[in-house]
Amino acid sequence: MKPARQPLEISRQELEALIGRAQAGPLDPADGQKLLALVETLCRLMQLLEDKTTTIARLRQLLFGASTEKTRHVLKTANQDEAGETESASSSAQDSPEAPAQDKKKGHGRNGAADYTGASRIPVSHPALASGDACPQCQTGKVYAAPPPGLLVRITGQAPLGAVVYELEKLRCNLCGEVFTAPAPEGLGEDKYDARAAAMIALLKYGSGLPFYRLEQLQGGLGIPLPASTQWEIAKETAQPLRPAFDELIRQAAQGEVVYNDDTTAKILSLMGKSAAHPAGQEADGPARTGVFTSGVVSTGEGRRIALFFTGRQHAGENLQDVLQQRAAALGPPIQMCDALSRNPSKAFETILANCLAHGRRKFVEVAEHFPDECRTVL
């Protein structure tokens, strides 16, 4: 579903005045934006009205957004209101002093020093005392280490990727002109970008969704240049040695008990505007596929969760089919969780299909106004 467009607040008098100005002469930019929004809204309405599946409720939802799909709001009948009041009373009873106190959710409040697992730890010795010294307070006993130590946490700012410039001293003979350069520190290596820098670039881009050009701007502002093209080359080179691990993750994901899959459109500049050969699983006599998709496949089983992403011409079901090709023959069909889109299941491998309840429930929400009694049980 496309996101709802922000409604344009304009009165009939303002609209008539706008039409008058358009007829009198050129419009200023503000009036032009208003007129453009009105035309786009009209075109969007015409498209929706041409769709036979568009209902009044769905039209409101597309134009103004979905407010809520809770049952008590969808079914505003007398029985539902009573149920809502009963539910509210039950909730109030749980919040009363007699009700047992609920456990406080974790993750709220300050973080302790133990939570900073990636922080550097610097031991600080006492400036005047050492273990075994006489106690300065009683002058009789001796002081010894008393763990745990006192802890202070100090957080500093730094660039995502830091840099160190080594200035190697050069000495030249005033007679023969020979130049002697200091050797590089031991363990420095030959590569300008080490493995940690490559890992950080990949994590920021593919783990946190930070675009290359945005990281380029951030690094440049902090005085450590890192061009977007360089980031791409580093990420590409780093991915090659990781290919065996990726293949092993695919093999392990194929053995999962439950698999989830879905896809979304993606943009790859080298593929945009070009048709391609028929992907695996597509009929050769069908039209060539021009779309590009990113499919997510999540596999769970034996207490682990593996997330795989595939980007290309194939749909989610075709990518899932490639994964299930590595499933052990002795295992039964996995449970597949997805929406009811026809391109999500695999055509070559059997699965126990479990369609998404949220998508199915939404269809009942759309018709609940006309069939309240029939829809109440489902909702």
Side-chain angles (χ1 to χ4, degrees):
M1 183 182 296
K2 292 184 178 180
R5 183 182 297 277
Q6 292 296 328
L8 176 64
E9 301 290 343
I10 183 170
S11 64
R12 179 61 180 265
Q13 292 78 7
E14 291 176 329
L15 181 57
E16 291 177 351
L18 176 60
I19 295 174
R21 290 194 296 272
Q23 293 173 340
L27 296 175
D28 58 34
D31 285 341
Q33 290 295 328
K34 290 182 180 179
L35 191 58
L36 177 61
L38 288 171
V39 173
E40 289 180 345
T41 301
L42 179 60
C43 293
R44 180 63 175 155
L45 281 172
M46 294 298 293
Q47 292 175 356
L48 293 173
L49 292 175
E50 290 176 357
D51 187 356
K52 296 180 180 180
T53 63
T54 301
T55 62
I56 296 297
R58 184 170 177 80
L59 188 61
R60 291 198 193 102
Q61 182 179 354
L62 288 172
L63 289 176
F64 306 111
S67 55
T68 178
E69 290 185 358
K70 291 185 178 179
T71 306
R72 63 175 177 270
H73 294 292
V74 174
L75 295 175
K76 295 182 179 179
T77 62
N79 294 337
Q80 186 60 34
D81 290 340
E82 292 175 2
E85 293 174 1
T86 304
E87 181 182 351
S88 177
S90 174
S91 177
S92 300
Q94 292 179 0
D95 294 338
S96 62
E98 290 81 7
Q102 297 181 352
D103 294 336
K104 185 178 179 181
K105 292 183 178 180
K106 296 182 179 181
H108 298 276
R110 297 181 177 180
N111 293 314
D115 297 326
Y116 295 88
T117 56
S120 300
R121 295 183 174 268
I122 302 176
V124 180
S125 302
H126 197 284
L129 293 174
S131 181
D133 289 351
C135 174
Q137 180 68 28
C138 66
Q139 303 294 330
T140 303
K142 294 183 179 181
V143 296
Y144 295 96
L151 299 175
L152 295 175
V153 178
R154 296 294 182 267
I155 300 176
T156 60
Q158 62 184 25
L161 278 82
V164 178
V165 178
Y166 294 89
E167 298 180 348
L168 307 180
E169 183 182 19
K170 291 185 177 182
L171 302 174
R172 176 179 298 182
C173 175
N174 64 350
L175 184 60
C176 68
E178 184 69 24
V179 176
F180 302 90
T181 304
E186 185 177 357
L188 187 60
E190 299 294 333
D191 297 330
K192 181 177 181 180
Y193 301 94
D194 66 4
R196 293 179 297 176
M200 180 57 67
I201 292 173
L203 284 174
L204 290 174
K205 168 64 176 178
Y206 302 104
S208 300
L210 184 65
F212 287 144
Y213 72 89
R214 193 170 299 171
L215 180 58
E216 175 185 353
Q217 293 176 344
L218 176 60
Q219 290 288 138
L222 296 174
I224 304 176
L226 187 63
S229 58
T230 301
Q231 297 176 50
W232 162 246
E233 292 296 335
I234 294 173
K236 181 180 179 181
E237 293 175 1
T238 305
Q240 300 306 320
L242 298 178
R243 182 72 198 196
F246 180 65
D247 294 337
E248 175 61 19
L249 284 175
I250 294 177
R251 190 196 67 79
Q252 294 190 23
Q255 322 308 319
E257 300 171 1
V258 183
V259 291
Y260 307 75
N261 72 320
D262 199 4
D263 62 6
T264 186
T265 57
K267 292 183 178 180
I268 298 180
L269 296 181
S270 61
L271 298 180
M272 291 175 62
K274 301 177 182 178
S275 60
H278 295 83
Q282 187 184 7
E283 297 296 334
D285 56 352
R289 189 175 295 170
T290 59
V292 182
F293 312 92
T294 291
S295 300
V297 177
V298 179
S299 173
T300 61
E302 300 181 356
R304 65 168 182 257
R305 177 183 300 172
I306 299 175
L308 305 171
F309 296 93
F310 306 91
T311 299
R313 302 287 188 186
Q314 295 193 147
H315 288 303
E318 296 161 349
N319 286 314
L320 177 62
Q321 178 175 310
D322 292 343
V323 173
L324 294 181
Q325 284 179 351
Q326 302 191 38
R327 187 173 180 85
L331 296 176
I335 298 174
Q336 180 186 357
M337 174 64 195
C338 62
D339 59 39
L341 198 63
S342 61
R343 62 193 189 190
N344 283 338
S346 168
K347 294 180 174 59
F349 294 92
E350 180 185 0
T351 61
I352 302 174
L353 196 58
N355 288 141
C356 174
L357 291 180
H359 284 79
R361 185 184 186 277
R362 185 166 295 125
K363 297 300 180 182
F364 288 89
V365 170
E366 294 175 1
V367 300
E369 181 180 357
H370 306 288
F371 306 97
D373 295 333
E374 292 82 354
C375 294
R376 178 176 290 109
T377 301
V378 177
L379 297 181

